Amino acid sequence: MVDQTSLELRSLVKPDGALELSLVRVPVPTPRDDEVVVRVEATPINPSDLGLLLAAADVSAVTTSGAGVRTVVTAPIAPAALRALAGRVGKSMPVGNEGAGVVTSAGASPEAQALLGKTVSILAGAMYAQFRKCKAADCLVLPAGTKAEDGASAFVNPLTALGMVETARLEGHKGLVHTAAASNLGQMLNRLCRADGIPLVNIVRSAEQVQILRDLGAEHIVNSVQPSFSGDLIAALEATGATLAFDAIGGGKLASQVLSGMEAVASASAKTYSGYGSSVYKQVYIYGSLDTGPTELTRGFGMSWGIGGWLLSNFLAKVGPEAVARLMGRVAAEIKTTFASHYTRTISLLEALDPDVTAAYSRRATGEKFLINPNLAVD
Amino acid sequence: MVDQTSLELRSLVKPDGALELSLVRVPVPTPRDDEVVVRVEATPINPSDLGLLLAAADVSAVTTSGAGVRTVVTAPIAPAALRALAGRVGKSMPVGNEGAGVVTSAGASPEAQALLGKTVSILAGAMYAQFRKCKAADCLVLPAGTKAEDGASAFVNPLTALGMVETARLEGHKGLVHTAAASNLGQMLNRLCRADGIPLVNIVRSAEQVQILRDLGAEHIVNSVQPSFSGDLIAALEATGATLAFDAIGGGKLASQVLSGMEAVASASAKTYSGYGSSVYKQVYIYGSLDTGPTELTRGFGMSWGIGGWLLSNFLAKVGPEAVARLMGRVAAEIKTTFASHYTRTISLLEALDPDVTAAYSRRATGEKFLINPNLAVD
């Protein structure tokens, strides 16, 4: 067992400002009593992985050296972006938040032994690797007959979608707004909101995305590139009563437009004039940064509003382990329905370093989602 | 009693987009059992009154007609500003949030009768008037020997300063940041934070304002027009541990700079690298709009942050009547010390319509504060 090795993908920001991607062969440690080793067979490239993986480097300017498992990809990082990366310069970082695979060895404890041969999902980091050691208690055992590919994305998107709905409940909102709503996550959120009877306004940026959601049966879809956007948005906000938005875009004026639309609905039904706007509380959480430019708030939406960052790990810490266990139980039960993910391509660790493939997954295009199978042959 | 009349200042936005300020003579109603009538002798022009009073009109372009108590002042309102005022078009609005005066008549109840002849402060709206009827229970009786002028500003600024400190406590922050910190409110907040031992970072915009606060004994003062601002701010944030800011400016980049400074302090002491920034929660509340332009957030401060509107009336509703009563008791006891306000000029209702005076109070200049005595002679 101590002789086993695992190839894993590493991302390194060098002091000279270059990003270096490579594969590193590391020993697979023997699991302790309460641990198992998982042979990773499916691990997605989520938008939330790309920040760590690509470090905001210019992937259109990659150079490649070496070959096979010794391939090294280098790409330049703009000096402005480099400042925010100071904490990781010189540190070879493993990548990949989540994934699924088969338990191939287990520690002595009954809990660990019980997992031998089982297909499990884990959220452990360093998943872009052939093997990953983790606590037995952190494994989500998938229902019998579930393939690793089906369980690859059991944490980030399902818990984010559930987290959005739970946040609405905890903070007293009766409807939700989601931007970049045709994403894998957005489609999942539509299925979840339909199942739970929560009104959802989907904001998208193209006619194709409108169609994706229409085909899913989404009721409220507004296209922000249409001239009628502002009026369409207000009509959808009025129909749903949504006062909470989750925004994947971050930059630009969209968050502000959403707050203005919510205030237009709230003040239309206000009985008396107030220069401070309505007393209806309106909230936007920014959870992504598809537009890395500044967020611009016009503040034409009264005084009863908030905007803030939303991060899954902070949400999970806030609700506590019992709530998380309840949510995970639901994910496992509905992994092939509500929480199903779809992938446009499955690649090997080596293909993840291919400049054309890197360019493709770095685009974060709606409807395109990559899955890595680290146990596909690399030579 | 029914023959008594009261002159009151009115602000009217006309359908053609003009602001009209005038004085209107209204009957003073007989108080009901639980009511009193106050002869208003001192009522401040707060920044929070100017929005209702001036309706964003261009006060440099006023025209005046009539004379004496029949003076009518007219000023144009830009079409863009007019949209937000739709709810008040055609409604003659009384103005003036707070003030103080002497109870001249009282209803039959013992509580009302007990107030006869007393000097009281009230937060009732429509205070730019010779007489104001209100509930006896809403009167804050000032300690014997307190003049109306001393009690004119007993609510808005004192409760805002107390509300900021209470918000910090309720939301778990150990230090505060305040912008436009040399204002009347800012000076009050300095006295309050010193008395309560709460570290306070004062952000100002000129050397004169630095001196005002230095003379008050303020410890942490940073000048945002200095080239060293960013570093000075981080040093002050580090010294105080402040993670909550109250921003009177609203527009521009200052709120974002404050969050970035807080994050720089938090991430400097973080033990591990995270692409999502520190887990230290950072909050900015915007409570004013000295810069009416858009708020620009660079979001270079991780994911654990929030920004939102802060309105005194919402805060008071949230903490509830018992907490408000406790805070008001403290205001009354410290009205001549911690919560003292200073005025540069006392004017009559007629002078409030004088174009030069209007231009002066609409400037909201630091250190300049106007008091109206509605019972000064107007003819």
Side-chain angles (χ1 to χ4, degrees), chain B residues 175-216:
Chain B
L176 276 178
V177 177
H178 189 221
T179 72
S183 65
N184 220 299
L185 172 64
Q187 296 179 33
M188 195 178 285
L189 185 63
N190 269 278
R191 292 192 295 268
L192 178 61
C193 285
R194 287 186 72 179
D196 288 12
I198 292 165
L200 174 65
V201 176
N202 294 277
I203 300 179
V204 295
R205 291 184 286 187
S206 73
E208 292 71 26
Q209 293 168 347
V210 170
Q211 196 56 48
I212 290 172
L213 290 172
R214 194 161 283 153
D215 292 346
L216 270 179

Side-chain angles (χ1 to χ4, degrees), chain A residues 48 52 84-85 87-88 93 249-251 273 276 286-287 289 291-299 303-311 314, chain B residues 48 52 84-85 87-88 93 249-251 273 276 286-287 289 291-299 303-311 314:
Chain A
S48 54
L52 182 59
L85 302 168
R88 58 171 288 192
M93 313 286 287
I249 295 174
Y273 169 76
Y276 297 115
I286 295 179
Y287 75 94
S289 205
D291 177 346
T292 57
T295 311
E296 197 179 300
L297 307 174
T298 60
R299 305 197 315 292
M303 292 298 278
S304 194
W305 61 275
I307 182 165
W310 194 91
L311 187 64
N314 291 349
Chain B
S48 53
L52 181 59
L85 301 169
R88 59 171 288 193
M93 313 284 287
I249 295 174
Y273 170 76
Y276 297 115
I286 295 179
Y287 76 94
S289 205
D291 177 345
T292 57
T295 311
E296 197 180 300
L297 306 174
T298 60
R299 306 197 314 290
M303 291 298 278
S304 194
W305 61 275
I307 182 165
W310 195 91
L311 187 64
N314 291 349

Side-chain angles (χ1 to χ4, degrees), chain A residues 20-291:
Chain A
E20 192 178 276
L21 300 179
S22 64
L23 303 180
V24 174
R25 194 170 288 283
V26 296
V28 177
T30 305
R32 295 175 197 210
D33 285 1
D34 62 344
E35 292 178 335
V36 298
V37 170
V38 177
R39 185 179 67 230
V40 183
E41 294 175 351
T43 169
I45 303 181
N46 285 320
S48 54
D49 294 308
L50 288 173
L52 182 59
L53 180 64
L54 299 180
D58 179 1
V59 294
S60 69
V62 298
T63 55
T64 302
S65 65
V69 297
R70 286 186 191 78
T71 300
V72 174
V73 169
T74 306
I77 302 173
L82 204 57
R83 271 196 295 279
L85 302 168
R88 58 171 288 192
V89 169
K91 294 175 190 162
S92 177
M93 313 286 287
V95 191
N97 286 314
E98 65 181 338
V102 174
V103 174
T104 54
S105 65
S109 74
E111 294 73 22
Q113 287 292 318
L115 295 177
L116 264 175
K118 292 267 168 60
T119 299
V120 299
S121 294
I122 47 178
L123 175 73
M127 295 300 297
Y128 297 171
Q130 292 172 320
F131 292 90
R132 181 73 172 97
K133 191 187 71 161
C134 65
K135 298 266 186 203
D138 291 341
C139 292
L140 179 72
V141 180
L142 295 169
T146 310
K147 290 181 292 183
E149 177 171 331
D150 294 325
S153 299
F155 291 87
V156 178
N157 278 359
L159 287 177
T160 300
L162 284 164
M164 290 172 175
V165 168
E166 288 285 308
T167 299
R169 287 188 184 126
L170 288 169
E171 299 182 7
H173 300 275
K174 68 175 199 177
L176 276 177
V177 177
H178 190 220
T179 72
S183 65
N184 221 297
L185 171 64
Q187 296 179 34
M188 194 177 287
L189 184 63
N190 269 278
R191 292 192 296 268
L192 178 60
C193 284
R194 285 186 74 179
D196 288 14
I198 292 166
L200 173 65
V201 176
N202 294 277
I203 300 179
V204 296
R205 292 183 287 185
S206 73
E208 292 71 27
Q209 293 167 348
V210 170
Q211 197 55 50
I212 291 172
L213 290 172
R214 195 160 284 155
D215 291 346
L216 271 178
E219 193 176 350
H220 304 284
I221 313 168
V222 289
N223 183 348
S224 63
V225 301
Q226 288 286 331
S228 59
F229 172 58
S230 173
D232 297 346
L233 177 61
I234 290 172
L237 292 168
E238 184 154 28
T240 55
T243 47
L244 173 64
F246 284 89
D247 176 32
I249 295 174
K253 299 182 180 184
L254 186 57
S256 191
Q257 287 173 301
V258 170
L259 290 171
S260 295
M262 291 172 176
E263 176 65 10
V265 173
S267 60
S269 62
K271 285 175 186 67
T272 55
Y273 169 76
S274 163
Y276 297 115
S278 79
S279 59
V280 174
Y281 187 74
K282 304 161 290 288
Q283 174 75 42
V284 174
Y285 285 117
I286 295 179
Y287 75 94
S289 205
L290 292 174
D291 177 346

Side-chain angles (χ1 to χ4, degrees), chain B residues 248-263:
Chain B
I249 295 174
K253 299 181 180 184
L254 186 58
S256 192
Q257 287 174 300
V258 169
L259 289 171
S260 295
M262 290 172 176
E263 176 66 9

Side-chain angles (χ1 to χ4, degrees), chain A residues 348-365:
Chain A
S348 69
L349 283 175
L350 198 50
E351 285 173 299
L353 302 187
D354 181 286
D356 291 338
V357 178
T358 306
Y361 62 67
S362 72
R363 267 200 304 270
R364 307 163 197 226

Side-chain angles (χ1 to χ4, degrees), chain B residues 31-36 103 105-116 136-137:
Chain B
R32 295 174 196 210
D33 284 2
D34 61 344
E35 293 178 334
V36 297
V103 174
S105 64
S109 74
E111 294 72 22
Q113 287 292 318
L115 295 176
L116 266 175

